[in-house]
Every structure is written in structure tokens, then in C-alpha cells.
Amino acid sequence: MYSPSTLAGNRLFVYEVAGLNQNDNTDSLDYSIRQSGSVFFTVPYSRMNQEMRRITRLGGRIVSIKPLNGIAPVATVSSASTPQPIAQSSPVPEQTKKKAMTQAKEKTDIPVNIYRPNQPFIGKCIENYALVDEGGIGIVQHVTFDLSGGDLRYLEGQSIGIIPPGTDANGKPHKLRLYSIASTRHGDKLDDKTVSLCVRQLEYQHPETKETVYGVCSTYLCNIGVGDDVAITGPVGKEMLLPSDEDATIIMMATGTGIAPFRAFLWRMFKEQHEDYKFKGLAWLIFGVPKTANILYQEELEQIAAEFPDNFRLTYAISREQQNPQGGRMYIQHRVAEHADEIWNLLQSPKTHAYMCGLKGMEDGINDAMSGAATKNSADWSVYQKQLKKEHRWHVETY
Ligand code: FAD
């Protein structure tokens, strides 16, 4: 298994890049272009992300990345053969084995199930405000709970369970519902004592009676009052954790409330100050919503984009206001398709992680979009994606 931090330290990597023409821009890359059309140059680990972006900007295509000491390529991207994240065909380097063990150990430090359904933590709602502007579709609320007096800790990307009060149709207590945590581990008040959620009220028409049905827990949470008690379980989830690598490239694809874990990521990266985590990589959010009024946390997202133009990229797919190239509604998969070659190139770096969160239906479209880019590079997306998942670089949480 290949893992980003196996490359840690001051190691050097040789990039083979095709498709660059020598001109004023490429001169700044500090190499000369060979007759074959490929160029080779050496990149220190700490600059891999920047170089990757620069190459992409200049229209180059990375053919392979190899450690300078030549143990095994990190990835090969050849138009003549299937891209091989090298772990598939090469012996696993010693360092990789060591890293895998470190990761396994790290996992034991992830808080899980501190509170279980038979003994939930009883928190208090301290904030509940609307996230959808006038003219938007549906109700989505940002809800914050006070955790004082308990032991509930969590990491960005985890979820908590909420047990709605009352009983179900069979007279049994309601079961818990999971919600992605929208705050960082320090909470919105930065005092390590709160947790926030981004909840959409489920509303649908009963297929037979045609009556409007409202979801039990989401309706309860959207209407919860400040000062009300709430039964909380968890935290749970290890799928959506943020890597500790400050130079990582983090591609986030969200629909609707799928923004929740990414709000936590972005607040940790850009809005909080930490001694042990100073994000210097690239974060790219591709966010699908029906209308502009439904862009959750719009003001803060755009503020981050304005303040950190080199480190944060924000791309919207606003289905009812924007058109895809075929003239239909612009859904997230159309934006991913538009940028699929770039995303594909970014994924060639072991420092890149892609995350998907939100409606279950988003997965197929995004896979179709990425298949197109993979095919152009003579690769099979499903095989490639499996490898990315194995490397813990393709993260999915849809519901
Ligand atoms: P319920 O009363 O439980 O009703 C749901 C049921 O209604 C469904 O099981 C189905 O039988 C029926 N139903 C739903 N839609 C239709 C339809 N169109 N036609 C016919 N029947 C239908 N939600 C968020 O809002 N924010 C989050 O951040 C979030 N994170 C999640 C993270 C994870 C890991 C998971 C698994 C889910 C997450 N959810 C999130 C969803 C959440 O857990 C609940 O499922 C959601 O709030 C609905 O619960 P409810 O009690 O309101 O609905």
C-alpha cells in the first residue's frame, strides 16, 4: 500500500513530464525540454504540490514520479499503458511497510463510541440558525450543542448520533440518526466544548397518500430550541478524516449538507491557528446546490477564497441557475467532468486526497466523469479508484 507520508523527510523525486513547450513560462521550471518531448526534473518532497499545480497550469502531463534513489515509481501515467500506482506491481518499500503500521496505530487514537445509545450524553442546544437564504429550497439549519460536563471528543470528518425524543410507530424509542460534524475538534466557540451540525429537514411526498411527510430526527433538530436537551452518541467514523500532512491537496466534492465535514476541514485549515497544523497545501471545494440561496456557509467560504487564493479554490455547481455544456442543469458531476483532467493529474500525487460527501446519487455521476479522464490516460477508473481507496486517498460518505 502506498501512503503519502512514506515520502516524508527531505527526499527528492524525479518527475517526467510531457506536453510542455519551451517558453517564458516553462523556463521558470528550470529544465530543458528534450527531443523526445518528455522532460525530467527533480522536486523536493516539500514542493511536490506546488510543482504539480504549476505543471498542470502550464499544460503539462505528468508521466511518472520516481524517488531519486529509484526504489520504485510513485506513479506512472503513460498514454501508452495503464497508469499504475506502483504498489500494484512493485515490491513494497520498507518505509511503506513501516508507515502502514504507524497509520494503524494512529487509528487507535481516533475517538469512537465514547457515548453509546444506552447511555447517551445529554447536551444542550446553544445555537440554531437558518442556512438557506430567502428564495432557497428547503430548510437547513446550523445547530450547536454544548458538551460541557462530558467526555465527548471528536475529530474533523467524524459523525455523531442523535436520538430524537419519543417513540416510533411500534411504540419503541426512536433509533439514533447519524450527522456529520460541521465544526472542528475545537468547536465553533474554540473552547473544545461544543459540536455543530448542518441539518436538512427531510420532507417528501408519500408515494401513495401524496401527503407531505417530514423526517422525525431532522425535523426535531431543525426546530430545536436554545436551552433544549439533546441525546448524543458517538463519535463514529474513520472514513472522512483529514490527513495531518500540511502540504496535502484536498479535493472536496459536496452536495447540500455534505458540506458539513468540509466546513470542519476548511475552518481547521484556514480559520483556526494551531501549533501543530499549518495548512500550506491546496484545498479545492466543488459544491453542488440547487440555487445560490442554498449555498450553505457562502459568506465564509467566499471569504476564505478571497483571503487564501493560492491555497483554496471554490467551484460551485448551481443546478437550477447554471447550465451544463449540453444545456441541462449543472450538477456536481458536470463540474467534476469539466475539471476531470486536472483532478486526474492531481490524483497522481500521493499527497492528494479526494472526498465526496452528500447525496448518495452523486457517486455515479462523479465516477462517470472521472472515467472519462482515466480513459484518456489509458486507465480503468474502477481499478484506479480501488487503488486510491486502498491508499486511503479516496473517501466517500454519502447518505
Ligand atoms: P426519518 O423519519 O427517519 O425518515 C427517513 C425515511 O423516510 C427513509 O428511511 C425512507 O424510508 C423515507 N423516505 C425518505 N425520503 C423519501 C422519499 N423521497 N420518498 C419516500 N420515502 C422516503 N443529514 C443531514 O441533514 N446532515 C448531515 O450532516 C448528515 N450526515 C449524515 C452522515 C451519515 C454518515 C449518515 C449515514 C447520514 C447522515 N445524514 C445527514 C442523514 C441523517 O442521518 C438522517 O437520515 C436524515 O436526517 C433523515 O432522518 P429523519 O429522522 O429526519 O427521517
Side-chain angles (χ1 to χ4, degrees):
M1 184 175 73
Y2 202 87
S3 126
S5 15
T6 50
L7 303 177
N10 300 321
R11 298 179 63 196
L12 297 171
F13 294 84
V14 179
Y15 280 45
E16 181 182 355
V17 178
L20 289 175
N21 298 316
Q22 195 120 39
N23 58 32
D24 286 352
N25 287 330
T26 52
D27 283 350
S28 65
L29 278 171
D30 197 21
Y31 59 80
S32 59
I33 297 191
R34 297 186 183 179
Q35 290 281 308
S36 68
S38 265
V39 293
F40 295 84
F41 59 99
T42 306
V43 180
Y45 174 74
S46 61
R47 289 197 52 82
M48 285 180 86
N49 259 350
Q50 282 121 300
E51 290 305 327
M52 188 82 64
R53 289 203 294 276
R54 203 141 62 115
I55 291 161
T56 306
R57 242 190 351 258
L58 296 174
R61 186 169 54 77
I62 296 167
V63 178
S64 72
I65 305 171
K66 296 177 186 171
L68 189 60
N69 63 13
I71 302 173
V74 172
T76 56
V77 194
S78 153
S79 55
S81 63
T82 305
Q84 305 268 344
I86 270 333
Q88 285 181 351
S89 55
S90 304
V92 181
E94 263 319 299
Q95 284 141 309
T96 307
K97 286 186 197 158
K98 264 197 217 134
K99 179 57 194 169
M101 283 189 288
T102 318
Q103 273 190 335
K105 185 175 169 293
E106 272 172 12
K107 282 205 166 164
T108 60
D109 300 333
I110 300 164
V112 280
N113 290 321
I114 299 173
Y115 288 92
R116 292 178 183 276
N118 56 1
Q119 228 173 345
F121 175 74
I122 305 301
K124 255 192 201 325
C125 175
I126 55 169
E127 201 166 36
N128 180 357
Y129 61 83
L131 291 171
V132 177
D133 285 344
E134 224 182 296
I137 295 168
I139 292 172
V140 184
Q141 298 289 124
H142 183 80
V143 193
T144 301
F145 304 120
D146 182 11
L147 303 176
S148 300
D151 297 324
L152 195 71
R153 292 166 289 114
Y154 60 87
L155 297 175
E156 300 76 21
Q158 290 195 291
S159 300
I160 52 170
I162 300 290
I163 307 175
T167 51
D168 63 19
N170 301 318
K172 297 212 167 119
H174 282 300
K175 295 215 162 63
L176 70 84
R177 270 69 161 177
L178 289 177
Y179 293 90
S180 308
I181 296 171
S183 47
T184 73
R185 66 189 74 180
H186 300 299
D188 282 2
K189 312 278 173 215
L190 297 175
D191 59 2
D192 295 9
K193 286 189 186 134
T194 67
V195 64
S196 298
L197 304 177
C198 167
V199 182
R200 170 179 193 83
Q201 182 182 28
L202 173 67
E203 179 186 344
Y204 65 92
Q205 208 180 46
H206 192 284
E208 282 145 30
T209 66
K210 305 291 174 211
E211 271 176 79
T212 302
V213 183
Y214 295 97
V216 172
C217 193
S218 57
T219 299
Y220 157 66
L221 286 174
C222 285
N223 292 298
I224 196 166
V226 168
D228 288 356
D229 284 347
V230 60
I232 304 174
T233 66
V236 295
K238 294 179 178 174
E239 170 66 20
M240 297 288 285
L241 300 175
L242 184 63
S244 53
D245 181 1
E246 300 167 331
D247 291 311
T249 292
I250 306 291
I251 301 169
M252 297 163 277
M253 294 167 273
T255 51
T257 55
I259 190 70
F262 306 141
R263 176 185 187 267
F265 288 8
L266 294 168
W267 266 229
R268 180 161 171 76
M269 289 166 172
F270 299 111
K271 283 172 90 82
E272 295 180 355
Q273 302 295 325
H274 315 99
E275 274 313 303
D276 58 343
Y277 181 75
K278 301 196 189 313
F279 185 71
K280 300 185 279 290
L282 172 70
W284 183 4
L285 173 66
I286 307 176
F287 191 11
V289 292
K291 291 178 160 200
T292 300
N294 285 88
I295 301 175
L296 313 174
Y297 310 107
Q298 180 179 13
E299 205 179 309
E300 291 105 321
L301 292 174
E302 291 177 7
Q303 195 182 342
I304 296 172
E307 243 178 90
F308 301 92
D310 295 336
N311 303 90
F312 180 49
R313 197 167 156 187
L314 181 57
T315 305
Y316 295 133
I318 308 176
S319 61
R320 302 196 185 191
E321 296 172 12
Q322 298 173 334
Q323 279 195 346
N324 67 35
Q326 290 75 44
R329 287 181 174 177
M330 173 64 85
Y331 291 110
I332 189 162
Q333 61 267 29
H334 300 114
R335 282 285 179 232
V336 173
E338 193 178 308
H339 298 287
D341 293 339
E342 202 177 350
I343 295 171
W344 172 265
N345 279 345
L346 288 169
L347 285 170
Q348 305 316 305
S349 163
K351 295 165 88 52
T352 300
H353 287 246
Y355 295 80
M356 199 191 293
C357 189
L359 299 175
K360 214 168 202 71
M362 70 194 283
E363 281 183 63
D364 287 349
I366 288 175
N367 282 331
D368 287 349
M370 289 311 299
S371 294
T375 306
K376 274 194 219 163
N377 289 278
S378 312
D380 177 338
W381 174 247
S382 62
V383 173
Y384 198 82
Q385 189 194 40
K386 267 197 199 109
Q387 182 62 27
L388 290 173
K389 283 185 179 172
K390 258 196 195 166
E391 295 169 13
H392 303 292
R393 298 202 290 121
W394 188 266
H395 311 259
V396 180
E397 191 152 270
T398 53
Y399 42 85

